Amino acid sequence: MEMATSVIEHKETRKNTATFKNTSEKKTKISVHNLNLFYGEKQALFDVSINIKEKEVTALIGPSGCGKSTFLRTLNRMNDLIDGVNINGKIVIDGEDIYDSNDVIKLRTKVGMVFQKPNLFPMSIFDNVAYGPRMQGIKNRAELNRIVEESLRGAAIWDEVKDRLKSSALGLSGGQQQRVCIARAIAMKPDVILMDEPTSALDPISTLKVEELIAAMKNNFTIVIVTHNMQQAARVSDKTAFFLNGEIIEFDETSKIFSMPSDQRTEDYVTGRFG
Ligand SMILES: Nc1ncnc2c1ncn2[C@@H]1O[C@H](COP(=O)(O)OP(=O)(O)OP(=O)(O)O)[C@@H](O)[C@H]1O
Ligand SMILES: [Mg+2]
């Protein structure tokens, strides 16, 4: 009896230490409070609240149509581009309410995005990566060279493209194009990178390369990634949020979501019983 108690106590202590460690080390980068989003009459997000930590990978999972992309787009106000979208609630990034500020350009510089399909411009690899910095007014050739090389290295694609920087980016394979898209995002020096199913159009080898890249990138960026691939979420993310019908059902350490989720609906989803 005494033994059992001491084992439990020991476990409790360990658990508390772990919790303390996590919350004290990482600071909250994005905090979302009671976010509701409507497409016209139709509500797509219901009272979504979540705290996303700095320099972690947060995965968003859930069945098709549950609001993952909609939620991701609220984080850099991409939904502003869609007619009839109404939002209430609050999204705070680095202490600033992003819907209070009018500087959407600055927000999108700070919070970059990578889409499902590579969307490079029909221009050279170099010009694709230099595009954003040039828009920001950087004209110095040496500085542009440095930014392009650094970004392509950061996206683990430099060695594959360094001898063809002047060639059309559209001549690259899909997996290479997606890594150049990531380089293009990195070139803007964002703090946060949003990725909406970045590997769903890629073959398994390119997918692994992008996954390795994401794991390496979290030392420098806060990453939020939508994925339909459970193994991918388990491999790349620190935290996972499970969405269902526009609500976050559960948000926790990825290891917990995949091994012992608290909610039956999460368990059903991660074990493939629905969705
Ligand atoms: N532009 C839009 N206008 C109206 N309704 C929309 C629009 N975009 C999304 N919706 C609706 O909002 C809900 C959430 O869609 P969303 O694209 O966010 O889902 P998702 O979780 O990303 O799905 P998937 O896994 O298929 O990409 C769906 O019911 C969808 O039909
Ligand atoms: Mg989507």
Side-chain angles (χ1 to χ4, degrees):
M1 196 55 190
E2 238 174 297
M3 276 275 281
T5 317
S6 94
V7 168
I8 290 165
E9 267 170 13
H10 181 62
K11 270 193 168 167
E12 286 286 297
T13 316
R14 285 186 45 169
K15 200 174 129 206
N16 288 340
T17 316
T19 312
F20 177 71
K21 234 180 144 186
N22 281 337
T23 49
S24 68
E25 275 177 1
K26 298 239 166 82
K27 117 174 193 279
T28 295
K29 184 75 182 173
I30 303 172
S31 103
V32 178
H33 306 268
N34 300 105
L35 177 70
N36 291 281
L37 182 145
F38 301 80
Y39 291 111
E41 301 280 282
K42 186 182 175 301
Q43 188 164 1
L45 294 174
F46 296 81
D47 266 326
V48 170
S49 294
I50 187 172
N51 279 326
I52 294 173
K53 298 280 179 189
E54 183 176 70
K55 295 184 182 170
E56 280 193 351
V57 178
T58 300
L60 312 180
I61 62 168
S64 186
C66 68
K68 304 177 298 295
S69 298
T70 298
F71 174 69
L72 196 72
R73 289 194 299 259
T74 63
L75 303 179
N76 70 347
R77 297 187 54 173
M78 288 293 269
N79 289 311
D80 289 15
L81 305 171
I82 304 171
D83 278 345
V85 173
N86 277 302
I87 287 181
N88 64 60
K90 211 160 121 174
I91 301 181
V92 177
I93 302 184
D94 289 335
E96 207 181 328
D97 185 334
I98 65 169
Y99 285 87
D100 259 2
S101 157
N102 286 323
D103 200 344
V104 180
I105 305 277
K106 185 175 134 213
L107 172 69
R108 299 213 183 110
T109 303
K110 184 178 191 151
V111 184
M113 189 149 186
V114 174
F115 298 88
Q116 182 167 7
K117 296 221 178 80
N119 58 346
L120 292 174
F121 310 125
M123 48 175 87
S124 73
I125 295 166
F126 186 97
D127 288 343
N128 264 281
V129 181
Y131 188 87
R134 278 178 174 142
M135 294 294 275
Q136 289 176 322
I138 300 173
K139 291 193 185 81
N140 181 285
R141 190 72 201 180
E143 193 178 354
L144 286 173
N145 285 344
R146 188 186 55 72
I147 293 171
V148 168
E149 174 168 348
E150 195 178 277
S151 306
L152 289 166
R153 282 189 189 280
I157 180 84
W158 172 251
D159 288 336
E160 286 161 72
V161 300
K162 63 174 190 282
D163 299 323
R164 52 194 285 200
L165 294 176
K166 298 281 169 225
S167 311
S168 169
L170 304 183
L172 297 169
S173 75
Q176 290 173 324
Q177 288 190 32
Q178 194 60 310
R179 280 176 290 144
V180 175
C181 287
I182 294 173
R184 192 176 57 182
I186 291 176
M188 300 297 284
K189 301 204 179 356
D191 290 355
V192 180
I193 301 184
L194 310 174
M195 300 185 176
D196 198 349
E197 303 187 51
T199 64
S200 65
L202 305 184
D203 68 86
I205 290 173
S206 304
T207 296
L208 276 182
K209 282 193 184 159
V210 172
E211 285 182 8
E212 281 171 10
L213 171 59
I214 293 168
M217 283 168 71
K218 76 171 179 191
N219 296 319
N220 298 311
F221 304 99
T222 302
I223 297 174
V224 186
I225 176 174
V226 172
T227 180
H228 276 280
N229 179 329
M230 296 301 115
Q231 283 79 22
Q232 178 164 84
R235 281 193 295 260
V236 305
S237 70
D238 301 288
K239 302 269 171 60
T240 297
F242 171 57
F243 279 74
L244 188 63
N245 300 328
E247 280 183 84
I248 294 184
I249 302 299
E250 190 167 352
F251 173 55
D252 214 320
E253 300 285 334
T254 295
S255 54
K256 179 161 187 306
I257 294 286
F258 287 96
S259 60
M260 41 171 189
S262 304
D263 194 288
Q264 186 63 45
R265 293 165 292 180
T266 313
E267 182 168 339
D268 289 348
Y269 185 73
V270 299
T271 55
R273 262 171 277 186
F274 77 84

